[in-house]
Amino acid sequence: MIQQLNRCVVAAAIVAASVLVASAARAAEPITIGLGMALTGGLAAGGKSALLAMQIWRDNVNAKGGLMGRPVKLINYDDQSNPATVPGIYTKLLEVDKVDFIVSGYGTNQIAPAMPVAISHDRVFLGLFGLAVNSEFHYPKYFSMLPTGPDPKHAFAEPFFQVAMAANPKPKTLAILVEDSEFPKNASEGVHDIAKRDGIEIVYDKTYPPGTPDFTPIVHTIQSTRPDMVFVASYPPGSVGMLRAATESGLKTRFFGGGMVGLQFTPVKLQFGPKLNGVVNYDWWIPAPTMQFAGILDFLKEYQSKAGEAGVDPLGWYLPPFAYADLQVLGDAIEGAKSLDQNAVADYIRTHPFKTIVGDISFGKDGEWAKPRVLEVQWQNIKTTSLDEFKDAKSEVILEPAEYRTGSVIAPYNGGGE
């Protein structure tokens, strides 16, 4: 009898120990976050720097004990800057890798094709720099890491027009050049609406195909219309091509720029140097005294210490802080909800403000920022192509919004001269 009792006690102890071991093993299993990211192709300059920022966040979180006592693991694949690769990547992440959460790669063109996959799997999905991606889907578990606010198509272009329309005399004519892809076409909708509102005549309105090798004929045609403003909505290859053609052809207009992605990247700045002078363009963050949010300079110090070895943008002002903040939001929501349940995490993001290295963020309609913060900047007084020209904010002046303003516009644009 005693022997049988002892066997029962031992058996119970073994079962209890097994349960504890299994529970400990589950607790030690990483929380996985999956994403596609452009590591090759036209968006790779941004994608690589964004991935480094996300890896820094992962390492910082894990050094503090992870999320809910569990380490965090990133699983990523190269989307090759090709939207056609995106659905397959996210299907694999969810159905094969079985990740706990998904976040997007870089840019509207890469986010839009992932949306149907996120929706069909009923997953929380954070988009990194996607313009108005959710304006058609209205998916309640999507959240945008982009400071364009609840009306992104108009908010993106509005500051460019605010700068131009403050001039005396007011501009009367506008040329619009747009890449034939998702983000630029979304941006151009806002441009058309604002031009109509402000009574501006559109004298040129064309799209160009991705991969256009030479913009010189386009610049010549635009110049023949003698526009007061030229608004360009383009991804990095097009932005570089258009700026090169504008400077080589001596484009004359009062205000030039608006929606040119890529001019914010340090390697592009070093390529053009003084040829950036006079361009008025959007940006999201620069290290002006008005924008030094808690934690961002510490992050940039860490990022810059690793940028050389990683072969990415040496300064990292444009995309990396927002890539880091993207995961800050997700991580804080997981901790706040104390759950990996998709509904619980989505509800937490929707109903709570977040303190991030890019400032305080709350989410509103369609998962967009509740309050827009689109900067309009102008490059001024650049003399050389040295990195020293760009290490602080002296050559990049914030024109709008007023609460962040650091200088005044210089016009007209004169083919890169001032």
Side-chain angles (χ1 to χ4, degrees), residues 238-249:
S239 301
V240 168
M242 184 61 185
L243 182 57
R244 182 180 295 115
T247 54
E248 291 176 353
S249 301

Side-chain angles (χ1 to χ4, degrees), residues 71-262:
V72 174
K73 179 181 179 181
L74 299 180
I75 299 176
N76 65 276
Y77 299 102
D78 180 11
D79 66 28
Q80 303 167 37
S81 304
N82 180 1
T85 68
V86 171
I89 287 173
Y90 281 87
T91 299
K92 181 178 187 297
L93 286 166
L94 291 169
E95 296 183 3
V96 179
D97 298 316
K98 299 189 182 302
V99 296
D100 295 301
F101 290 93
I102 53 172
V103 297
S104 83
Y106 161 48
T108 309
N109 284 11
Q110 310 307 103
I111 300 171
M115 284 290 284
V117 181
I119 293 169
S120 67
H121 290 77
D122 197 27
R123 293 303 190 102
V124 171
F125 188 40
L126 279 72
L128 179 62
F129 280 21
L131 184 67
V133 173
N134 204 23
S135 62
E136 301 296 329
F137 297 102
H138 305 296
Y139 179 51
K141 293 187 178 71
Y142 173 82
F143 302 95
S144 175
M145 183 51 67
L146 189 72
T148 47
D151 185 12
K153 291 180 181 179
H154 296 96
F156 180 74
E158 186 69 58
F160 179 83
F161 284 85
Q162 287 176 335
V163 170
M165 298 305 288
N168 186 17
K170 294 183 185 299
K172 296 179 178 179
T173 56
L174 169 68
I176 304 172
L177 179 66
V178 176
E179 180 177 305
D180 188 13
S181 58
E182 190 83 15
F183 146 71
K185 288 192 291 186
N186 284 348
S188 73
E189 287 186 33
V191 173
H192 282 87
D193 290 345
I194 295 169
K196 182 178 180 180
R197 180 199 69 191
D198 290 348
I200 298 168
E201 180 187 2
I202 298 174
V203 295
Y204 178 94
D205 188 4
K206 301 288 184 182
T207 62
Y208 68 89
T212 295
D214 183 11
F215 286 78
T216 303
I218 294 174
V219 170
H220 287 162
T221 303
I222 290 174
Q223 188 67 78
S224 70
T225 68
R226 303 174 64 84
D228 293 326
M229 299 184 288
V230 178
F231 190 101
V232 181
S234 51
Y235 270 124
S239 301
V240 168
M242 184 61 185
L243 182 57
R244 182 180 295 115
T247 54
E248 291 176 353
S249 301
L251 175 66
K252 302 292 192 299
T253 187
R254 291 173 67 188
F255 302 97
F256 168 61
M260 302 173 75
V261 180

